[in-house]
Amino acid sequence: MERETLFPEVRALLDARQTAGIAALSERVSPAAWADIIPSLNTAEVVILVQALPDAVLPEVLADLAPSEAAIILRNLTHIEAASVLGAMAPDDATDVVDELPDADVEPILVAMRPDDAAEIRELLAYPPDSAGGLMTPAFVAIAPDLRADQAIAALRRVATEAETMYYVYVVDATEHLLGVLSLHSLVLASSQTPVAALMAPEAVRVRADDSAVGAARLLRDRNLLAVPVVDDEDRLLGIITADDAIDVLEDELGG
């Protein structure tokens, strides 16, 4: 639905407090479209809209907003509600929003979250926002080198919903050191008995967590990659930076 058509319809529904109409409209409107019109609404309208949007839609809308705007919306929710929304977002997106919240709001929200979700956000908050570590997500897929191709595919099916992207599969040893990377395409086409170690590319491109976010983003662009792994000083895999996040960083650099 075009913004020119959507905005008047949404404003009319908000003025009439037709929350059921907003909920029904969300079945036809993408999260990106909601995010596009929210900055044009006043605070009271945003509050009504947030209350009306289905629980499954709101996290996607916040992910499409600028983190500062998403943080304003979270501050209109209870800590428990905010924790639920952040828990449904990708860890890197959620961390960007938390980083925009006043310090007094952060800890109560993190305490209200599932411990594993809160732990991921705390770890990401430890990295400067302009570093590769600050840009990465821990939602990646890693497997052991001694798995057979059929075992690897079975393992990937079990964790597919938790990954940010499944185009690349990372190979790590027992202590999380990055050994290589293989594409899902090559894994699917391989003989079922082929070991992962024989399929992976051992010289995987990688960036360090303390490298600059802009430098990492340029690397993805210049190498035409869909994602790049982020490692610590001992080459242990910490997370990945995806192409969509790299695009955002490069657009911000051009805009700045």
Side-chain angles (χ1 to χ4, degrees):
M1 183 179 291
E2 295 292 334
R3 189 185 193 283
E4 292 75 15
T5 304
L6 175 62
F7 186 70
E9 184 174 354
V10 170
R11 176 150 271 170
L13 289 169
L14 292 173
D15 288 344
R17 294 184 176 270
Q18 291 290 327
T19 55
I22 292 290
L25 190 60
S26 69
E27 297 179 3
R28 297 185 287 122
V29 175
S30 70
W34 287 118
D36 185 48
I37 68 170
I38 282 176
S40 300
L41 301 175
N42 62 44
T43 301
E45 290 170 333
V46 171
V47 169
I48 297 171
L49 177 62
V50 167
Q51 292 172 342
L53 287 174
D55 291 344
V57 174
L58 184 56
E60 297 181 31
V61 174
L62 264 62
D64 280 321
L65 282 168
S68 58
E69 294 170 347
I72 292 172
I73 290 176
L74 280 191
R75 296 192 68 193
N76 285 293
L77 304 178
T78 67
H79 290 150
I80 292 176
E81 290 170 338
S84 177
V85 171
L86 288 171
M89 295 173 66
D92 52 335
D93 292 332
T95 302
D96 289 342
V97 177
V98 169
D99 203 35
E100 296 289 337
L101 291 170
D103 291 343
D105 289 332
V106 172
E107 193 59 26
I109 292 174
L110 292 179
V111 168
M113 294 180 69
R114 289 174 45 192
D116 54 342
D117 290 337
E120 287 181 334
I121 290 177
R122 292 183 196 279
E123 289 174 9
L124 293 177
L125 285 171
Y127 297 100
D130 59 351
S131 70
L135 187 60
M136 71 181 179
T137 175
F140 60 86
V141 176
I143 58 176
D146 56 352
L147 289 180
R148 301 190 311 265
D150 58 346
Q151 293 174 321
I153 291 172
L156 295 181
R157 288 197 182 104
R158 293 193 294 270
V159 300
T161 58
E162 301 172 11
E164 180 93 357
T165 176
M166 286 284 286
Y167 293 111
Y168 302 131
V169 180
Y170 299 96
V171 184
V172 297
D173 64 18
T175 52
E176 304 299 323
H177 292 96
L178 180 61
L179 302 178
V181 63
L182 69 156
S183 69
L184 189 60
H185 178 74
S186 64
L187 182 61
V188 170
L189 292 180
S191 168
S192 63
Q193 300 300 305
T194 305
V196 164
L199 296 171
M200 72 180 188
E203 299 301 324
V205 175
R206 65 199 71 188
V207 296
R208 304 288 175 188
D210 56 1
D211 289 346
S212 76
V214 171
R218 288 173 178 164
L219 177 66
L220 266 88
R221 180 196 61 193
D222 296 344
R223 298 290 188 94
N224 198 28
L225 299 171
L226 297 171
V228 66
V230 182
V231 298
D232 65 12
D233 289 340
E234 296 182 11
D235 232 25
R236 289 186 294 253
L237 182 59
L238 301 173
I240 63 172
I241 297 172
T242 56
D244 56 341
D245 289 329
I247 289 171
D248 290 342
V249 167
L250 295 175
E251 287 179 347
D252 289 346
E253 183 192 25
L254 290 174

